């Protein structure tokens, strides 16, 4: 077995070989890049409830991260094939307690997410239809296994990867890393007497601590997905020092997670990646695809010392193995 450094080196070399062959064959340089497509509530904008991102490895493996409420269910035409679904934690805006019926309904600040997905969740509905794996940490796999079975899916498609471990699916190495947040399951996701007891008591079920993810793609690109988190020492010790994350998807919404100042500290002082994508802004951050001044997202852009990219819904960005954006980041 190769250690992590050896595998990353081999992945980078393999990506370079694939890229060279593609150029010889007349293909574009982006053939060896990781594609990142935001799936938000309003086309071409970064809106208040936007969480979902689809990552596509150069080998074609497609990973959906935190489907939330802005993916219009498993039949959303933007999804395409999905091989793996990641869920950072069980809050409704990430696992999907409701969803849009289609894009561009409601406003960017208050999208229409009136389609209920309870008690299954948007995540489970998508995974069953796409026959995708759900990869989570903590005690979440048992919860999702039961949900998949109840929805007519395969409970075996709920897979575990806890802190310090690793799963490789479709040529992408994936692990969970600590997040500082909460991770209660709302009684609305449950059925039977337990749901009623928890609701009456004003508490939720526990499925262990929340997580972030680190993904190592086949071209060598290492991506940190922060989930919902405050500042944590592991962002330097684990995410930077051990995994060497080069591209970060960072939550900036404040109150519930790091705000723009705190998130900028994480980027500038703890992880020091080569680029960052803003996430979880909890605001209508753009208008006509342009960043609005005075927003948390604009403040974050001004504070970070690396290129910051705004995840405009439906606009695909591409990153090479060194986290340089090669297309879609104008």
């Amino acid at each position: 077995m190769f250690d992590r450094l050896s595998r990353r080196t081999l992945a980078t070399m393999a990506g370079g070989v694939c890229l060279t062959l593609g150029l010889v064959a007349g293909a574009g340089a982006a053939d060896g890049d990781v594609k990142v497509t935001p799936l938000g509530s309003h086309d071409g904008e970064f809106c208040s409830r936007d969480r979902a991102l689809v990552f596509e490895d150069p080998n074609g493996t497609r990973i959906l991260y935190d489907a939330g409420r802005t993916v219009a269910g498993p039949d959303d035409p933007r999804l395409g094939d999905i091989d793996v679904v990641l869920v950072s934690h069980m809050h409704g805006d990430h696992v999907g307690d409701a969803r849009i019926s289609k894009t561009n309904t409601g406003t960017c600040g208050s999208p229409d997410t009136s389609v209920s997905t309870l008690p299954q969740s948007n995540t489970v509905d998508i995974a069953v239809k796409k026959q995708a794996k759900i990869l989570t940490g903590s005690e979440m796999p048992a919860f999702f296994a039961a949900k998949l079975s109840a929805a007519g899916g395969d409970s075996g498609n709920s897979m575990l990867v806890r802190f310090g471990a690793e799963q490789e699916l479709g040529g992408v190495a994936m692990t969970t890393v600590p997040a500082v947040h909460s991770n209660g399951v709302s009684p609305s996701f449950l059925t039977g007497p337990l749901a009623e007891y928890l609701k009456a008591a004003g508490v939720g079920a526990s499925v262990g601590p929340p997580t972030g993810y680190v993904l190592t793609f086949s071209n060598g690109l290492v991506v940190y997905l922060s989930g919902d988190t405050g500042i944590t020492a592991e962002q330097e010790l684990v995410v930077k020092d051990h995994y060497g994350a080069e591209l970060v998807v960072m939550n900036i919404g404040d109150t519930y997670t790091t705000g723009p100042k705190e998130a900028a500290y994480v980027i500038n002082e703890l992880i020091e990646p080569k680029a960052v994508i803003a996430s979880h802004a909890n605001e209508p951050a753009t208008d006509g695809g342009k960043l609005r001044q005075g927003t948390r997202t604009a403040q974050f852009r001004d504070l970070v010392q690396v290129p910051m990219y705004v995840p405009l819904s439906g606009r695909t960005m591409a990153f090479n193995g060194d986290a340089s954006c090669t297309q879609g980041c104008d």
Side-chain angles (χ1 to χ4, degrees):
M1 299 225 9
F2 297 108
D3 62 22
R4 184 167 191 82
L5 180 61
S6 298
R7 196 190 65 248
R8 285 186 58 199
T9 302
L10 288 172
T12 304
M13 292 172 60
V17 171
C18 290
L19 181 56
T20 302
L21 292 176
L23 289 171
V24 171
D31 288 352
D33 294 345
V34 173
K35 298 176 182 177
V36 184
T37 305
L39 302 185
S41 64
H42 286 67
D43 297 336
E45 305 288 2
F46 181 33
C47 296
S48 63
R49 294 292 169 254
D50 292 3
R51 311 282 189 263
L53 298 170
V54 173
F55 292 84
E56 183 174 334
D57 190 87
N59 67 23
T61 297
R62 289 172 58 81
I63 302 163
L64 173 62
Y65 166 58
D66 279 356
R69 298 167 177 156
T70 64
V71 177
D75 296 321
D76 190 320
R78 303 174 298 172
L79 273 176
D81 293 333
I82 297 295
D83 301 294
V84 182
V85 180
L86 307 179
V87 183
S88 62
H89 64 292
M90 290 301 305
H91 290 170
D93 60 324
H94 290 259
V95 71
D97 54 358
R99 64 171 175 82
I100 60 175
S101 60
K102 59 182 179 180
T103 58
N104 306 317
T105 56
T107 65
C108 187
S110 182
D112 181 359
T113 57
S114 58
V115 180
S116 175
T117 57
L118 297 171
Q120 292 302 101
S121 78
N122 202 19
T123 292
V124 170
D125 290 344
I126 292 168
V128 170
K129 185 70 174 286
K130 301 296 184 180
Q131 298 183 28
K133 309 290 186 183
I134 301 178
L135 183 67
T136 53
S138 301
E139 308 307 317
M140 291 185 280
F143 173 86
F144 282 115
K147 286 294 184 184
L148 287 171
S149 181
D154 181 358
S155 62
N157 280 339
S158 179
M159 302 183 66
L160 169 69
V161 59
R162 289 207 179 109
F163 306 138
E166 189 174 89
Q167 289 272 12
E168 186 168 311
L169 297 173
V172 181
M174 309 178 197
T175 189
T176 50
V177 292
V180 180
H181 195 54
S182 59
N183 196 25
V185 179
S186 167
S188 60
F189 286 110
L190 307 176
T191 58
L194 177 61
E196 297 302 320
Y197 297 151
L198 292 173
K199 183 177 180 181
V203 297
S206 174
V207 287
T211 69
Y213 289 88
V214 173
L215 311 180
T216 303
F217 291 92
S218 66
N219 68 346
L221 178 67
V222 181
V223 181
Y224 167 51
L225 311 176
S226 70
D228 280 7
T229 189
I231 298 171
T232 172
E234 285 85 355
Q235 288 164 328
E236 180 175 22
L237 182 66
V238 179
V239 176
K240 174 192 172 183
D241 292 347
H242 180 65
Y243 291 109
E246 300 154 314
L247 174 64
V248 170
V249 176
M250 189 69 206
N251 55 282
I252 64 170
D254 221 347
T255 303
Y256 306 103
T257 70
T258 48
K261 292 185 293 183
E262 294 81 5
Y265 171 78
V266 170
I267 296 303
N268 295 337
E269 304 296 334
L270 299 185
I271 303 178
E272 299 180 295
K274 295 178 180 178
V276 61
I277 298 172
S279 180
H280 200 300
N282 290 345
E283 65 183 356
T286 61
D287 184 8
K290 302 298 183 182
L291 188 58
R292 298 173 59 197
Q293 296 306 306
T295 58
R296 284 184 286 270
T297 309
Q299 183 183 8
F300 181 61
R301 176 204 58 191
D302 294 342
L303 289 171
V304 294
Q305 299 167 2
V306 298
M308 190 280 283
Y309 302 115
V310 179
L312 300 178
S313 180
R315 307 286 177 85
T316 298
M317 298 173 279
F319 294 88
N320 64 20
D322 292 323
S324 294
C325 189
T326 60
Q327 66 180 42
C329 295
D330 297 335

